[in-house]
Structures are given as structure tokens and as C-alpha cells.
Amino acid sequence: MLRRSLIASPLALAALPAGAQAPWPDRPTRWMVAYGAGGASDLFARLIARTLSGPNTPAIVVENRPSGGGIVATEAVLSGPADGSNVLHVDNGMMIYNPALYARLPFDPDRDLVMAGFIARFPFFILVRPESPIQSFEQFLEAAKARQLTYATPAVASPHHMAMELLRVRAGLQLEHVPYRGMPAVLQDLIAGRVDCAVADVTNATPLLSTNRARALITFGAKRAEAHPAIRTATEAGIANCVADGWQGVAVPRAASAETVARINAAIRGAMATPEVQRQLASTGAETEALTVAQCAELIRAENAVWRPLIRDLGIRLDA
């Protein structure tokens, strides 16, 4: 259950009494994004930066440093100060997958980064085209046992790919992964019938679902997606321990003080509760939750326990 009503707004944070923690940012700040302009990470980074900005607030400048696995952006943040003026927009690939995907990283996200705030989850769905003979998840399981189905995702080792690999392992299926470069190509080939199914996040799936150009068989979330409450979860469909979402957050160098991390956490929680950000969440289907710093750490711990062993067992590597 989202706890938006309990979060103070950034303006309320700015009006804290003397002796309370000062609001963040308290100095010009660089918000590093590991992906190009226009994507979901860039969109939310700029939206939150704009929400936290004001005539009497130091500027937050969003800087895009696209690179495989977010390595360049992470190095840039770790080489900067740990005083709250230097933050990293992270996702599950950067915080969870990378140590298993790369034999040698120039940093260790567990040792060198701390997640200061949670932004949003992006539920995943298995999509088929409307005319597909696969009309239900049960039929999908039957078809996958009879022949090797193909499934499309936007990239190797993307959260979309990992979600389907988790399902494949949990359900004992033989599936052929067809990776693309980005979601537009995935959805184009799904609609054209070049693949049997695709894994799509809620932002990309919703336009197809709302116009009946695709059918969703399941969602991978721990609960049903708020944007599509009629679609069952994998757990409800009988596949135990099969939960996967894309998610985003904000991290800082671990050398940052506990007070700095707490101030950033309060600011992110406040920003996520504002009407402008709530409208964006509703339009994209993303789902936020007011996670504390301790809850962010628990999220990292729980995700690591699932995904790193799976990636290593499957032998998926990006530096081979």
C-alpha cells in the first residue's frame, strides 16, 4: 500500500523549525543519469529536479552519461564529493545485476554506494498479440512445453530479460530469448507476429493494452499493477517465487554522512508526493512507495538474494 499521504511536501520540508534537518539540496547539485535524454530515468530525474527547485533553492543539474551498465555515470559520481551535491540515478541493473554480469567492475555498488531514496517501480507484463492462439497464461505454459516459444525484450540482461528468465527457471520452460535494441522494436515485431510474446514494462505496455493491440497474460509484480488491476500476477497464476519489477532510485557515495542520506531521502519522498509527480506516475503506470533509507537497504538485500545467483547460474555475462 502506498504511503503518499504521510509524506511531507518539499515546501513543508523547507519550513522546518530551527534545529531540524535542513532541506536538500542545500548547494548546487549534479544528478547523474546513466541513460540518454528522453527515457524513463531521464524523465523522472528531470521531473524530481524541477519539483525540488525554487527561487531560493540551489539548482539541481541533470547530466546524462550514457554507458553500458551505467559504469561511466557511477564512476563520475564516485569520483565526486560525498556531501549530497553529487547523486546517481540508479536502477536494478546498476545496483543489483552488474556485479554478476561483469567479472571486473571499477567499483563495488555494495561497498561504494548507498541507496538514499526510492523513486518508482515499473510493473512488467508478458504480452501476446490479440490474434495469437495463446489466449491465457495456462495456454502459454502448455505451448512452451510443446515447443520452444520466442520472447522479445529490449536488451540482453535488461530487467525485462531477467524477469522472463526467472519465470523460465521457476516454471521449467524452454524459451528462446530474442533481444532487441529498445522497446519500440520489440513491440513492432510483437504486433507483426515475428515473436511469440514479449516482456514489456507498464509504460510501454499500456498504449497497446488500452487499444487492444496486445493482450497481457500475467504481470510479474508482487501485487497486481495499479494501472491494470484485472491482470493476474505470476504468483496468482501458480508460479511461486516469481516476482520481478523494473525500479529506479537515487544513490550517493557511501562516504556520505547519515544526515546527508536522510535529508536526500526526505526530499525524494516529498517530491514523489507532489501533484506534478503524481500525475506523471499515473500517466506512466509507475508506482511509488515512501521507502526509508533502511527499507531501501532491505530492498537491495532482497533483490541481491534472487538475481545475482540466477544470473551466475545462467552464465549471463556482458564482458565476455
Side-chain angles (χ1 to χ4, degrees):
M1 187 73 177
L2 300 185
R3 298 185 290 271
R4 295 167 183 160
S5 62
L6 302 181
I7 311 172
S9 72
L11 292 178
L13 290 172
L16 289 173
Q21 288 183 344
W24 178 85
D26 58 357
R27 66 196 72 193
T29 296
R30 179 179 65 165
W31 187 307
M32 191 70 67
V33 177
Y35 304 97
S41 294
D42 179 70
L43 184 154
F44 274 99
R46 294 181 185 279
L47 178 60
I48 295 168
R50 184 168 65 249
T51 300
L52 292 173
S53 297
N56 300 314
T57 304
I60 301 176
V61 177
V62 175
E63 185 175 337
N64 301 90
R65 292 278 188 96
S67 69
I71 293 173
V72 172
T74 304
E75 284 190 291
V77 168
L78 291 175
S79 66
D83 58 3
S85 65
N86 189 43
V87 301
L88 179 67
H89 198 103
V90 295
D91 56 23
N92 32 343
M94 296 166 65
M95 294 295 287
I96 308 300
Y97 303 164
N98 277 356
L101 293 170
Y102 295 91
R104 295 180 180 176
L105 285 172
F107 52 82
D108 179 349
D110 298 335
R111 180 195 66 215
D112 299 330
L113 292 170
V114 59
M115 190 160 152
F118 181 78
I119 294 174
R121 290 185 180 87
F122 296 80
F124 290 142
F125 304 87
I126 298 178
L127 301 184
V128 295
R129 59 192 183 280
E131 61 273 20
S132 170
I134 300 172
Q135 296 290 310
S136 67
F137 182 66
E138 288 72 21
Q139 291 179 353
F140 170 83
L141 294 178
E142 291 176 6
K145 292 174 181 177
R147 65 182 179 89
Q148 190 174 60
L149 299 179
T150 56
Y151 74 93
T153 75
V156 172
S158 62
H160 311 66
H161 177 202
M162 293 296 100
M164 193 64 122
E165 286 298 299
L166 182 65
L167 172 65
R168 187 182 66 78
V169 169
R170 295 287 191 259
L173 304 176
Q174 293 298 317
L175 303 170
E176 180 183 353
H177 182 214
V178 183
Y180 288 77
R181 291 187 176 182
M183 282 304 304
V186 168
L187 300 178
Q188 180 179 347
D189 274 14
L190 172 70
I191 293 171
R194 298 188 181 97
V195 291
D196 293 309
C197 61
V199 181
D201 55 86
V202 65
T203 301
N204 286 285
T206 295
L208 297 187
L209 294 173
S210 62
T211 56
N212 297 316
R213 289 180 289 162
R215 176 187 297 107
L217 303 181
I218 57 162
T219 182
F220 285 93
K223 61 181 181 63
R224 296 192 182 195
E226 294 175 5
H228 301 282
I231 299 170
R232 293 180 298 167
T233 67
T235 302
E236 290 175 317
I239 309 300
N241 301 316
C242 189
V243 175
D245 295 297
W247 54 260
Q248 298 176 13
V250 177
V252 295
R254 191 166 287 276
S257 69
E259 179 187 0
T260 294
V261 175
R263 290 193 299 114
I264 295 172
N265 181 267
I268 297 300
R269 294 168 67 180
M272 297 308 298
T274 59
E276 183 182 7
V277 176
Q278 290 290 306
R279 284 192 294 270
Q280 186 63 46
L281 288 165
S283 70
T284 61
E287 301 173 7
T288 192
E289 189 171 0
L291 298 187
T292 64
V293 175
Q295 288 170 326
C296 288
E298 174 56 25
L299 171 66
I300 298 296
R301 186 206 63 76
E303 292 269 287
N304 280 342
V306 173
W307 298 109
R308 290 184 188 173
L310 178 71
I311 292 169
R312 291 180 175 125
D313 288 347
L314 295 174
I316 301 172
R317 296 290 295 276
L318 292 182
D319 57 358

